[in-house]
Amino acid sequence: MILITCPHCGPRQESEFTYGGDGANARPAAPEDVDDAAWIDYLHLRDNHKGPHDELWQHVQGCRRWLQVRRDVVTHQVISCHVLSADIADLADSADMVEGER
Amino acid sequence: MSKYSLTSLIRHGLTGHRGWKPAWRHPEPKAEYDAVIVGGGGHGLATAYYLAKNHGTTNIAVLEKGWLGGGNTGRNTTIVRSNYLLDGNAKFYEHGMKLWEGLSQDLNYNVMFSQRGVLNLAHSKGQLETFRRRGNAMRLNGIDAEILNRDDVAKFVPAMDTSPNTRFPIEGGLLQPRGGSARHDAVAWGYARSADQRGVDIIQNCEVTGIRRDQNGVLGVETSRGYIATKKIGLAVAGHSSQLAAMADVRLPIESHVLQAMVSEPVKPVLDTVVTFGAAHLYVSQSDKGELVMGGDIDGYNSFAQRGSLAVIEHVTTCLVALFPQFSRLRILRTWGGIMDMTTDGSPIIGTTPVPGLFLNGGWCYGGFKATPASGWVFAHTLATGQPHALNAELSLDRFHTGRVLDEKGAGPYPWLH
Ligand SMILES: Cc1cc2nc3c(=O)[nH]c(=O)nc-3n(C[C@H](O)[C@H](O)[C@H](O)COP(=O)(O)OP(=O)(O)OC[C@H]3O[C@@H](n4cnc5c(N)ncnc54)[C@H](O)[C@@H]3O)c2cc1C
Ligand SMILES: [Zn+2]
């Protein structure tokens, strides 16, 4: 069982979280400006590091925050865990806005 | 090398079985081969065998960092089926099924292939409808498929709780009668022995650590037992596909994840088919030794650890007890994990890569054991001719760039959801 220390809720077991995949795989800032090859790279290709790995987890059964976790995928040891900051907060704001406008 | 037969068994019996010879040689690596296959699991060994048998290419080596079949081949729950929806998968796996049907004879090695049927349970009318669709697609591809209602299921698996009072009542199921299971180690050993007999060098304890190449293509492999020159490299390393491809600067649509399996203590025969409970996630069969062999979903996060979390084991056994309440008193004997090469569309990749001379066989997700014969067959063709066989044309690496992905579930580019 992986123990993830959520900065908001403290140490919690893995089953409270859902996995969000590779956290280093950045979505092109302006998808309409990149060519197909670059978009497909983002969509499908992964570094799949063996060792420390940056990844996303959501604390769905806790604070529901998205977390940026660095974890060793050979030992399963969590190296660091931060609340995912600016980008996602912006996204959440814009989602609120869309809701507000409706 | 001698042929295994009833007479050879009797003959060796007369001398107390002390005369059996090792089933394959342990040669030193040569300086150069016509082709090098990396990975001595079922796929690498089958590829070597069919290269020798179908294409007459025998100056080849299989390089294995550990021991034969020590990877996923020796860790899997051995379910063999060809019940796929999409043409690109269905025809490929059905070719495999046909090879399975004659494999013990072809290899002169008993792989204990048992066509006991694979039954997918449906727990709602909607799920049964999607099974009907898949079953019809299978039949259109010439593959056996039967839809069972609840009474049929009750007759087919008498030990299972099919009453309407269970937590998840059974609505029916999709049965592939020709599906079943096989003995995993025997598949690796049978291919190894037959490939070795045809002159293939099988080299264990030999880890590939680098790929040498120039602008024209590959030149050879660096290994823990020295440099080996070759113009053709076939990768068949399952969970380490990304690592090997990265040695030639190729990035893959693959993430490595851990899948666990477990067995109970052995009991008398009680389950004579393979049952899958997809709605919650369990598949179970009974081995010839009597153990219940079970697995479920991957743990769901990137892993190279060959072990997973207790939560999944609890989930799998909970599902088992829901279907078969009488198994609640059985004890779990062993659990283990293997590293799955999960692709972003859930289907495998067999074919060429952007690097000339480098070929890839990987992305097997949960389901590569059943593919072993077909995978070796078409990968051998691809290595020998430089072109995909008709059966792996759709399984190409460039399908991710052309958009012709083979996503059976429609789950999207999230490897852990397939
Ligand atoms: C728990 C579990 C249950 C499964 N259940 C089923 C099932 O019921 N049905 C089914 O069809 N499939 C199942 N699978 C999947 C199936 O086991 C695999 O897809 C299949 O065995 C892959 O075979 P392979 O030869 O490609 O890989 P492996 O058998 O893993 O062989 C790859 C080999 O490459 C070697 N290797 C890696 N790196 C290097 C290197 N650098 N140099 C040299 N050698 C290297 C490894 O040591 C390994 O032996 C299951 C898998 C697991 C783990
Ligand atoms: Zn939290």
Side-chain angles (χ1 to χ4, degrees), chain B residues 283-313:
Chain B
Y283 32 89
V284 57
S285 63
Q286 189 173 19
S287 75
D288 293 354
K289 278 190 287 181
E291 303 157 332
L292 294 174
V293 184
M294 296 166 261
D297 267 326
I298 50 175
D299 277 34
Y301 45 77
N302 287 47
S303 174
F304 284 86
Q306 290 189 326
R307 64 183 162 73
S309 298
L310 186 64
V312 172
I313 298 169

mmCIF file of all heavy atoms in Angstrom, chain B residues 283-313:
data_model
loop_
_atom_site.group_PDB
_atom_site.id
_atom_site.type_symbol
_atom_site.label_atom_id
_atom_site.label_comp_id
_atom_site.label_asym_id
_atom_site.label_seq_id
_atom_site.Cartn_x
_atom_site.Cartn_y
_atom_site.Cartn_z
ATOM 1 N N TYR B 283 -10.840 -12.696 -12.623
ATOM 2 C CA TYR B 283 -10.912 -13.860 -13.497
ATOM 3 C C TYR B 283 -10.349 -15.022 -12.714
ATOM 4 O O TYR B 283 -9.408 -14.867 -11.939
ATOM 5 C CB TYR B 283 -10.194 -13.666 -14.832
ATOM 6 C CG TYR B 283 -8.996 -12.772 -14.771
ATOM 7 C CD1 TYR B 283 -7.739 -13.281 -14.485
ATOM 8 C CD2 TYR B 283 -9.130 -11.400 -14.997
ATOM 9 C CE1 TYR B 283 -6.633 -12.450 -14.413
ATOM 10 C CE2 TYR B 283 -8.027 -10.571 -14.918
ATOM 11 C CZ TYR B 283 -6.783 -11.100 -14.620
ATOM 12 O OH TYR B 283 -5.695 -10.280 -14.526
ATOM 13 N N VAL B 284 -10.976 -16.167 -12.865
ATOM 14 C CA VAL B 284 -10.575 -17.306 -12.031
ATOM 15 C C VAL B 284 -10.694 -18.598 -12.825
ATOM 16 O O VAL B 284 -11.607 -18.776 -13.641
ATOM 17 C CB VAL B 284 -11.421 -17.365 -10.732
ATOM 18 C CG1 VAL B 284 -12.907 -17.430 -11.028
ATOM 19 C CG2 VAL B 284 -11.005 -18.535 -9.845
ATOM 20 N N SER B 285 -9.729 -19.474 -12.583
ATOM 21 C CA SER B 285 -9.786 -20.827 -13.134
ATOM 22 C C SER B 285 -9.106 -21.733 -12.112
ATOM 23 O O SER B 285 -8.544 -21.248 -11.128
ATOM 24 C CB SER B 285 -9.053 -20.891 -14.480
ATOM 25 O OG SER B 285 -7.688 -20.585 -14.298
ATOM 26 N N GLN B 286 -9.179 -23.034 -12.347
ATOM 27 C CA GLN B 286 -8.523 -23.947 -11.414
ATOM 28 C C GLN B 286 -7.389 -24.649 -12.142
ATOM 29 O O GLN B 286 -7.581 -25.194 -13.232
ATOM 30 C CB GLN B 286 -9.531 -24.967 -10.860
ATOM 31 C CG GLN B 286 -8.945 -25.799 -9.731
ATOM 32 C CD GLN B 286 -9.980 -26.691 -9.052
ATOM 33 O OE1 GLN B 286 -11.038 -26.959 -9.609
ATOM 34 N NE2 GLN B 286 -9.660 -27.145 -7.852
ATOM 35 N N SER B 287 -6.204 -24.633 -11.541
ATOM 36 C CA SER B 287 -5.055 -25.265 -12.189
ATOM 37 C C SER B 287 -5.164 -26.775 -12.035
ATOM 38 O O SER B 287 -5.941 -27.286 -11.234
ATOM 39 C CB SER B 287 -3.753 -24.779 -11.559
ATOM 40 O OG SER B 287 -3.575 -25.381 -10.289
ATOM 41 N N ASP B 288 -4.351 -27.499 -12.818
ATOM 42 C CA ASP B 288 -4.382 -28.959 -12.730
ATOM 43 C C ASP B 288 -3.943 -29.446 -11.354
ATOM 44 O O ASP B 288 -4.278 -30.542 -10.944
ATOM 45 C CB ASP B 288 -3.497 -29.566 -13.829
ATOM 46 C CG ASP B 288 -4.094 -29.296 -15.214
ATOM 47 O OD1 ASP B 288 -5.206 -28.750 -15.269
ATOM 48 O OD2 ASP B 288 -3.446 -29.633 -16.218
ATOM 49 N N LYS B 289 -3.176 -28.619 -10.643
ATOM 50 C CA LYS B 289 -2.759 -28.972 -9.283
ATOM 51 C C LYS B 289 -3.891 -28.750 -8.279
ATOM 52 O O LYS B 289 -3.789 -29.165 -7.128
ATOM 53 C CB LYS B 289 -1.568 -28.117 -8.849
ATOM 54 C CG LYS B 289 -0.248 -28.628 -9.365
ATOM 55 C CD LYS B 289 0.920 -27.907 -8.706
ATOM 56 C CE LYS B 289 1.056 -26.498 -9.223
ATOM 57 N NZ LYS B 289 2.201 -25.781 -8.621
ATOM 58 N N GLY B 290 -4.932 -28.014 -8.702
ATOM 59 C CA GLY B 290 -6.083 -27.804 -7.834
ATOM 60 C C GLY B 290 -6.191 -26.407 -7.253
ATOM 61 O O GLY B 290 -7.182 -26.066 -6.614
ATOM 62 N N GLU B 291 -5.149 -25.584 -7.449
ATOM 63 C CA GLU B 291 -5.203 -24.215 -6.922
ATOM 64 C C GLU B 291 -6.176 -23.386 -7.747
ATOM 65 O O GLU B 291 -6.255 -23.552 -8.962
ATOM 66 C CB GLU B 291 -3.819 -23.559 -7.035
ATOM 67 C CG GLU B 291 -2.719 -24.319 -6.340
ATOM 68 C CD GLU B 291 -1.335 -23.985 -6.907
ATOM 69 O OE1 GLU B 291 -1.248 -23.632 -8.102
ATOM 70 O OE2 GLU B 291 -0.367 -24.085 -6.152
ATOM 71 N N LEU B 292 -6.886 -22.480 -7.083
ATOM 72 C CA LEU B 292 -7.655 -21.494 -7.838
ATOM 73 C C LEU B 292 -6.690 -20.385 -8.223
ATOM 74 O O LEU B 292 -5.990 -19.834 -7.367
ATOM 75 C CB LEU B 292 -8.795 -20.926 -6.995
ATOM 76 C CG LEU B 292 -9.883 -21.937 -6.622
ATOM 77 C CD1 LEU B 292 -10.873 -21.290 -5.662
ATOM 78 C CD2 LEU B 292 -10.603 -22.451 -7.860
ATOM 79 N N VAL B 293 -6.627 -20.087 -9.518
ATOM 80 C CA VAL B 293 -5.716 -19.066 -10.027
ATOM 81 C C VAL B 293 -6.545 -17.825 -10.317
ATOM 82 O O VAL B 293 -7.524 -17.901 -11.053
ATOM 83 C CB VAL B 293 -5.052 -19.544 -11.335
ATOM 84 C CG1 VAL B 293 -4.038 -18.530 -11.830
ATOM 85 C CG2 VAL B 293 -4.422 -20.915 -11.158
ATOM 86 N N MET B 294 -6.175 -16.687 -9.715
ATOM 87 C CA MET B 294 -7.021 -15.494 -9.825
ATOM 88 C C MET B 294 -6.215 -14.256 -10.148
ATOM 89 O O MET B 294 -5.059 -14.140 -9.733
ATOM 90 C CB MET B 294 -7.687 -15.201 -8.478
ATOM 91 C CG MET B 294 -8.624 -16.214 -7.983
ATOM 92 S SD MET B 294 -8.929 -15.839 -6.250
ATOM 93 C CE MET B 294 -7.828 -17.009 -5.495
ATOM 94 N N GLY B 295 -6.867 -13.340 -10.811
ATOM 95 C CA GLY B 295 -6.283 -12.023 -11.041
ATOM 96 C C GLY B 295 -7.393 -11.020 -11.205
ATOM 97 O O GLY B 295 -8.573 -11.382 -11.254
ATOM 98 N N GLY B 296 -7.001 -9.759 -11.265
ATOM 99 C CA GLY B 296 -7.996 -8.704 -11.449
ATOM 100 C C GLY B 296 -7.437 -7.602 -12.312
ATOM 101 O O GLY B 296 -6.804 -7.872 -13.329
ATOM 102 N N ASP B 297 -7.649 -6.363 -11.886
ATOM 103 C CA ASP B 297 -7.134 -5.210 -12.615
ATOM 104 C C ASP B 297 -5.693 -4.930 -12.232
ATOM 105 O O ASP B 297 -5.227 -5.370 -11.181
ATOM 106 C CB ASP B 297 -7.960 -3.967 -12.229
ATOM 107 C CG ASP B 297 -9.112 -3.745 -13.196
ATOM 108 O OD1 ASP B 297 -8.943 -4.037 -14.382
ATOM 109 O OD2 ASP B 297 -10.166 -3.266 -12.741
ATOM 110 N N ILE B 298 -5.023 -4.122 -13.074
ATOM 111 C CA ILE B 298 -3.726 -3.607 -12.658
ATOM 112 C C ILE B 298 -3.943 -2.704 -11.449
ATOM 113 O O ILE B 298 -5.050 -2.209 -11.220
ATOM 114 C CB ILE B 298 -3.037 -2.813 -13.791
ATOM 115 C CG1 ILE B 298 -3.967 -1.780 -14.405
ATOM 116 C CG2 ILE B 298 -2.495 -3.743 -14.845
ATOM 117 C CD1 ILE B 298 -3.288 -0.904 -15.451
ATOM 118 N N ASP B 299 -2.865 -2.477 -10.681
ATOM 119 C CA ASP B 299 -2.992 -1.607 -9.513
ATOM 120 C C ASP B 299 -3.349 -0.174 -9.924
ATOM 121 O O ASP B 299 -3.964 0.556 -9.165
ATOM 122 C CB ASP B 299 -1.707 -1.625 -8.685
ATOM 123 C CG ASP B 299 -1.668 -2.824 -7.733
ATOM 124 O OD1 ASP B 299 -2.193 -3.882 -8.108
ATOM 125 O OD2 ASP B 299 -1.135 -2.695 -6.610
ATOM 126 N N GLY B 300 -2.904 0.214 -11.120
ATOM 127 C CA GLY B 300 -3.379 1.494 -11.654
ATOM 128 C C GLY B 300 -2.406 2.648 -11.538
ATOM 129 O O GLY B 300 -2.805 3.801 -11.705
ATOM 130 N N TYR B 301 -1.137 2.401 -11.220
ATOM 131 C CA TYR B 301 -0.133 3.472 -11.229
ATOM 132 C C TYR B 301 1.148 2.902 -11.820
ATOM 133 O O TYR B 301 1.377 1.695 -11.763
ATOM 134 C CB TYR B 301 0.126 3.994 -9.807
ATOM 135 C CG TYR B 301 0.280 2.899 -8.762
ATOM 136 C CD1 TYR B 301 1.465 2.174 -8.665
ATOM 137 C CD2 TYR B 301 -0.762 2.578 -7.900
ATOM 138 C CE1 TYR B 301 1.610 1.162 -7.730
ATOM 139 C CE2 TYR B 301 -0.621 1.560 -6.961
ATOM 140 C CZ TYR B 301 0.564 0.866 -6.879
ATOM 141 O OH TYR B 301 0.708 -0.146 -5.972
ATOM 142 N N ASN B 302 1.986 3.775 -12.389
ATOM 143 C CA ASN B 302 3.236 3.307 -12.992
ATOM 144 C C ASN B 302 4.045 2.524 -11.966
ATOM 145 O O ASN B 302 4.151 2.926 -10.811
ATOM 146 C CB ASN B 302 4.083 4.497 -13.453
ATOM 147 C CG ASN B 302 3.501 5.158 -14.687
ATOM 148 O OD1 ASN B 302 2.300 5.417 -14.732
ATOM 149 N ND2 ASN B 302 4.342 5.405 -15.671
ATOM 150 N N SER B 303 4.600 1.395 -12.398
ATOM 151 C CA SER B 303 5.368 0.573 -11.473
ATOM 152 C C SER B 303 6.299 -0.370 -12.221
ATOM 153 O O SER B 303 5.952 -0.911 -13.267
ATOM 154 C CB SER B 303 4.417 -0.258 -10.599
ATOM 155 O OG SER B 303 5.162 -1.155 -9.802
ATOM 156 N N PHE B 304 7.489 -0.549 -11.652
ATOM 157 C CA PHE B 304 8.423 -1.565 -12.138
ATOM 158 C C PHE B 304 8.743 -2.522 -10.991
ATOM 159 O O PHE B 304 9.796 -3.139 -10.967
ATOM 160 C CB PHE B 304 9.721 -0.914 -12.626
ATOM 161 C CG PHE B 304 9.599 -0.235 -13.963
ATOM 162 C CD1 PHE B 304 9.167 1.078 -14.059
ATOM 163 C CD2 PHE B 304 9.912 -0.909 -15.128
ATOM 164 C CE1 PHE B 304 9.062 1.714 -15.289
ATOM 165 C CE2 PHE B 304 9.812 -0.290 -16.368
ATOM 166 C CZ PHE B 304 9.386 1.021 -16.447
ATOM 167 N N ALA B 305 7.848 -2.629 -10.007
ATOM 168 C CA ALA B 305 8.206 -3.287 -8.752
ATOM 169 C C ALA B 305 7.910 -4.789 -8.700
ATOM 170 O O ALA B 305 8.353 -5.457 -7.780
ATOM 171 C CB ALA B 305 7.519 -2.591 -7.587
ATOM 172 N N GLN B 306 7.171 -5.334 -9.633
ATOM 173 C CA GLN B 306 6.779 -6.754 -9.581
ATOM 174 C C GLN B 306 6.090 -7.130 -8.264
ATOM 175 O O GLN B 306 6.141 -8.270 -7.814
ATOM 176 C CB GLN B 306 7.972 -7.680 -9.846
ATOM 177 C CG GLN B 306 8.428 -7.609 -11.305
ATOM 178 C CD GLN B 306 9.452 -8.662 -11.687
ATOM 179 O OE1 GLN B 306 10.281 -9.046 -10.886
ATOM 180 N NE2 GLN B 306 9.387 -9.140 -12.915
ATOM 181 N N ARG B 307 5.489 -6.150 -7.624
ATOM 182 C CA ARG B 307 4.621 -6.420 -6.476
ATOM 183 C C ARG B 307 3.666 -5.238 -6.372
ATOM 184 O O ARG B 307 3.973 -4.142 -6.838
ATOM 185 C CB ARG B 307 5.423 -6.587 -5.183
ATOM 186 C CG ARG B 307 6.148 -5.346 -4.789
ATOM 187 C CD ARG B 307 6.998 -5.527 -3.542
ATOM 188 N NE ARG B 307 7.985 -4.454 -3.473
ATOM 189 C CZ ARG B 307 7.693 -3.201 -3.160
ATOM 190 N NH1 ARG B 307 6.464 -2.872 -2.830
ATOM 191 N NH2 ARG B 307 8.617 -2.269 -3.173
ATOM 192 N N GLY B 308 2.492 -5.486 -5.764
ATOM 193 C CA GLY B 308 1.503 -4.414 -5.699
ATOM 194 C C GLY B 308 0.927 -4.273 -4.305
ATOM 195 O O GLY B 308 1.537 -4.680 -3.322
ATOM 196 N N SER B 309 -0.270 -3.702 -4.248
ATOM 197 C CA SER B 309 -0.862 -3.371 -2.957
ATOM 198 C C SER B 309 -1.887 -4.414 -2.522
ATOM 199 O O SER B 309 -2.513 -5.077 -3.351
ATOM 200 C CB SER B 309 -1.555 -2.018 -3.036
ATOM 201 O OG SER B 309 -0.617 -1.022 -3.330
ATOM 202 N N LEU B 310 -2.080 -4.488 -1.214
ATOM 203 C CA LEU B 310 -3.037 -5.435 -0.657
ATOM 204 C C LEU B 310 -4.465 -5.117 -1.106
ATOM 205 O O LEU B 310 -5.290 -6.024 -1.243
ATOM 206 C CB LEU B 310 -2.936 -5.416 0.878
ATOM 207 C CG LEU B 310 -3.777 -6.464 1.596
ATOM 208 C CD1 LEU B 310 -3.306 -7.868 1.246
ATOM 209 C CD2 LEU B 310 -3.725 -6.248 3.102
ATOM 210 N N ALA B 311 -4.739 -3.819 -1.348
ATOM 211 C CA ALA B 311 -6.102 -3.420 -1.710
ATOM 212 C C ALA B 311 -6.603 -4.223 -2.920
ATOM 213 O O ALA B 311 -7.766 -4.639 -2.955
ATOM 214 C CB ALA B 311 -6.140 -1.925 -2.020
ATOM 215 N N VAL B 312 -5.733 -4.452 -3.886
ATOM 216 C CA VAL B 312 -6.150 -5.179 -5.092
ATOM 217 C C VAL B 312 -6.407 -6.654 -4.764
ATOM 218 O O VAL B 312 -7.362 -7.261 -5.255
ATOM 219 C CB VAL B 312 -5.094 -5.029 -6.206
ATOM 220 C CG1 VAL B 312 -5.410 -5.922 -7.387
ATOM 221 C CG2 VAL B 312 -5.004 -3.566 -6.640
ATOM 222 N N ILE B 313 -5.571 -7.209 -3.912
ATOM 223 C CA ILE B 313 -5.751 -8.608 -3.525
ATOM 224 C C ILE B 313 -7.090 -8.777 -2.789
ATOM 225 O O ILE B 313 -7.845 -9.723 -3.035
ATOM 226 C CB ILE B 313 -4.567 -9.059 -2.636
ATOM 227 C CG1 ILE B 313 -3.263 -8.962 -3.443
ATOM 228 C CG2 ILE B 313 -4.780 -10.464 -2.093
ATOM 229 C CD1 ILE B 313 -2.014 -9.121 -2.629
#
